[in-house]
Amino acid sequence: MTPTQHGSQTFSPTPAQVDDHHAPAHHLPKAPTVAWSSAGCRRRTWISRTVLLTILAFQAALSLRLSNTAFQDEALYLTAGRAEVSHLLHGTAVQTDYAAYFSGSPRLYPVLAAVVDSRFGLSGARMLSLFFMLGTTALLYSFTRRLFNERAGLAAAGLFSVVQSTIVMGHLATYDAPAVFLLASATWIVVRTAGMSAPSVLLAAPVAVLAVGVKYAAGLYLPTIVALALLTALPHRRRSAFLRALLLVLGMSALLVLGMYSTDLSAGVRQTTTNREHGSDGAVFLLEQSIAWGGPLFLAAVAGGISYARRYRLHESPLAPGSSGPGRVQRSLLGALMCATALLAPAYQMHLGTVVALFKHVGFGLLFAAPMAGVGLTRLVGAHFRHTHLGIALWSATLCIGISQADWRFASWPDSSTMIGTLSSHVNRKGHYLSSTPEVPVYYLHDRTTHRQWQSVFGMEYTDGHGVRHTGTDAYWKALRNGEFDLVVLDGFTNPRVNGVITDALKGNPHYRLLAALPFHSASNDVRPHLLRTVPFVEHTGHYRIWLKR
């Protein structure tokens, strides 16, 4: 080493100083093979929660923007709830056997909704439904994240939150929102306990059975929950997976039998579900409506199921843990199960031949198809958000269709505020009344009248002064010609055949005079939303015609 000169002095480095001179100033860490890890972290958790909260806030805004007076089903359930609460608290006799024809137990949801309604009114009861639907979306995200990953969970929640059934059920005071929430809760328990001991799955049994008690049609989805209990446990506990499913079947069966034999709900189950009267709606029409109401999400679910069956890895990282997950057969079965569940309600209502409540029941099936739709959406977007525009296009199309259909749905019944205002001074607890939708005035005028005072346009029996018994349309004609009713309220479109008979019986009738003809606007019943036609609905102008006994 050549000595270094500093001024007049000569400096010669020592061997140790020579080694320090050649040593690097700092050490570079070993570069990772990939740029990020698929393992969970606090930052990813908070980002996912923030996005989920944004989805829930948007879902709430979509539901809260809907506005109309009480739908007849809402009015009926809340009135029944008031009667049941009065019976429980004061021992007041329930004058109507609601259990004989309700599609769910009148002692469950109607009681809860009536308690809320007594304090916060119809808006509070509808807000209760919104809380249930927001909880459903949150649970959907949670069990989809456990089945797949965060991205699939957020995509599933994002698609499910903007379909018509979710938006409408979130602002409708009916059985459907709590029933779908309980189904989502049972599914979450099944997925959450997949790696635990077999008896832990029994926690889902009472929740699933309670969903059936709230709405009997929820029983259609119990086999799916049992199959999920089996498929989700196979990768963790292959030997006990079948035992797990068997325990869940036995648990749910025992609770269902206990509920049926300890209550008087069997007649309601038979009349509204198992032995329901068949309608005249054609299979092609019902299929078209089902596609319009759930087609985009279902197609995404089918694409996701096929993609998931072909390739397991859901992370962009080639070193993602868990690459040795469920086999292709298990993945195919899971995808087929969740997609097929979305077809249960349409198939059953094609068997019944009725479109009544189909749009809500489609939403029940979409809850189970949504996880696969989340997978389909993430695969469409691609690794590292390569094709984000495609995902945005699919979600936007689902959103536009959902908003258009929800607006049409909430405008399909007339605003009854002016009609209720007119009736309020002519109704008391002694009269006998006939109405197209008696549930609505009974709900709004509950302090002046009861359900037993009102007759609907869907079936009647009448015995005249000579002891002759009349049924069907003849009963309406004879009763009106004899001045049986103190007030008649017709909307012009509910049960058109009977409406025409009543109108003819009132023409020139000396017992009645026309009190008022109140105009209203509603969505035309002849125009149905179509998957590819999201133009604004056609507005129908009608009149509430009110006749008063002289």
Side-chain angles (χ1 to χ4, degrees), residues 342-466:
L343 303 176
L344 292 179
Y348 180 64
Q349 296 208 211
M350 287 178 192
H351 166 69
L352 294 177
T354 178
V355 75
V356 175
L358 176 59
F359 84 96
K360 295 182 290 186
H361 296 164
V362 164
F364 282 57
L366 294 181
L367 169 68
F368 294 93
M372 278 301 164
V375 174
L377 182 57
T378 57
R379 292 281 171 86
L380 179 65
V381 172
H384 306 292
F385 302 97
R386 183 176 297 121
H387 305 294
T388 306
H389 60 288
L390 297 179
I392 293 175
L394 173 60
W395 181 82
S396 299
T398 307
L399 170 65
C400 292
I401 294 171
I403 289 177
S404 175
Q405 293 172 350
D407 287 347
W408 177 88
R409 182 68 56 184
F410 240 72
S412 62
W413 68 89
D415 185 315
S416 60
S417 55
T418 56
M419 180 265 288
I420 297 300
T422 302
L423 295 183
S424 61
S425 59
H426 298 281
V427 170
N428 55 50
R429 292 191 177 273
K430 297 180 180 179
H432 190 196
Y433 312 115
L434 172 64
S435 175
S436 298
T437 55
E439 300 86 359
V440 176
V442 170
Y443 167 71
Y444 282 110
L445 304 174
H446 63 92
D447 58 336
R448 305 182 187 189
T449 184
T450 64
H451 196 270
R452 291 178 65 87
Q453 295 177 259
W454 292 78
Q455 172 65 48
S456 75
V457 295
F458 291 98
M460 176 181 170
E461 295 181 358
Y462 172 69
T463 302
D464 62 24
H466 301 287

Side-chain angles (χ1 to χ4, degrees), residues 171-443:
H171 203 55
L172 204 62
T174 61
Y175 294 118
D176 305 278
V180 74
F181 171 77
L182 290 169
L183 287 175
S185 301
T187 305
W188 180 86
I189 293 172
V190 164
V191 175
R192 179 66 179 82
T193 60
M196 301 181 185
S197 59
S200 63
V201 78
L202 289 174
L203 294 172
V207 180
V209 172
L210 183 59
V212 178
V214 169
K215 180 159 185 172
Y216 306 138
L220 197 64
Y221 303 94
L222 296 188
T224 297
I225 295 177
V226 172
L228 278 175
L230 170 64
L231 293 176
T232 55
L234 281 174
H236 305 282
R237 296 175 174 269
R238 185 176 296 271
R239 294 182 179 180
S240 62
F242 289 93
L243 174 62
R244 189 169 184 262
L246 178 61
L247 287 175
L248 184 57
V249 170
L250 294 176
M252 291 193 300
S253 300
L255 291 175
L256 285 171
V257 171
L258 179 64
M260 292 294 294
Y261 281 92
S262 61
T263 65
D264 56 351
L265 301 179
S266 56
V269 174
R270 289 193 299 269
Q271 182 170 333
T272 65
T273 308
T274 56
N275 296 333
R276 184 170 178 171
E277 184 178 352
H278 288 220
S280 58
D281 294 321
V284 174
F285 168 73
L286 295 174
L287 178 61
E288 180 187 18
Q289 298 307 301
S290 300
I291 293 174
W293 295 332
L297 191 150
F298 179 73
L299 290 177
V302 172
I306 295 173
S307 177
Y308 181 63
R310 295 181 59 188
R311 178 167 60 91
Y312 167 69
R313 183 168 60 82
L314 294 167
H315 298 279
E316 290 108 352
S317 171
L319 302 181
S323 57
S324 58
R328 175 166 292 185
V329 174
Q330 294 179 27
R331 300 198 304 272
S332 300
L333 289 175
L334 180 62
L337 170 70
M338 305 188 87
C339 292
T341 302
L343 303 176
L344 292 179
Y348 180 64
Q349 296 208 211
M350 287 178 192
H351 166 69
L352 294 177
T354 178
V355 75
V356 175
L358 176 59
F359 84 96
K360 295 182 290 186
H361 296 164
V362 164
F364 282 57
L366 294 181
L367 169 68
F368 294 93
M372 278 301 164
V375 174
L377 182 57
T378 57
R379 292 281 171 86
L380 179 65
V381 172
H384 306 292
F385 302 97
R386 183 176 297 121
H387 305 294
T388 306
H389 60 288
L390 297 179
I392 293 175
L394 173 60
W395 181 82
S396 299
T398 307
L399 170 65
C400 292
I401 294 171
I403 289 177
S404 175
Q405 293 172 350
D407 287 347
W408 177 88
R409 182 68 56 184
F410 240 72
S412 62
W413 68 89
D415 185 315
S416 60
S417 55
T418 56
M419 180 265 288
I420 297 300
T422 302
L423 295 183
S424 61
S425 59
H426 298 281
V427 170
N428 55 50
R429 292 191 177 273
K430 297 180 180 179
H432 190 196
Y433 312 115
L434 172 64
S435 175
S436 298
T437 55
E439 300 86 359
V440 176
V442 170
Y443 167 71

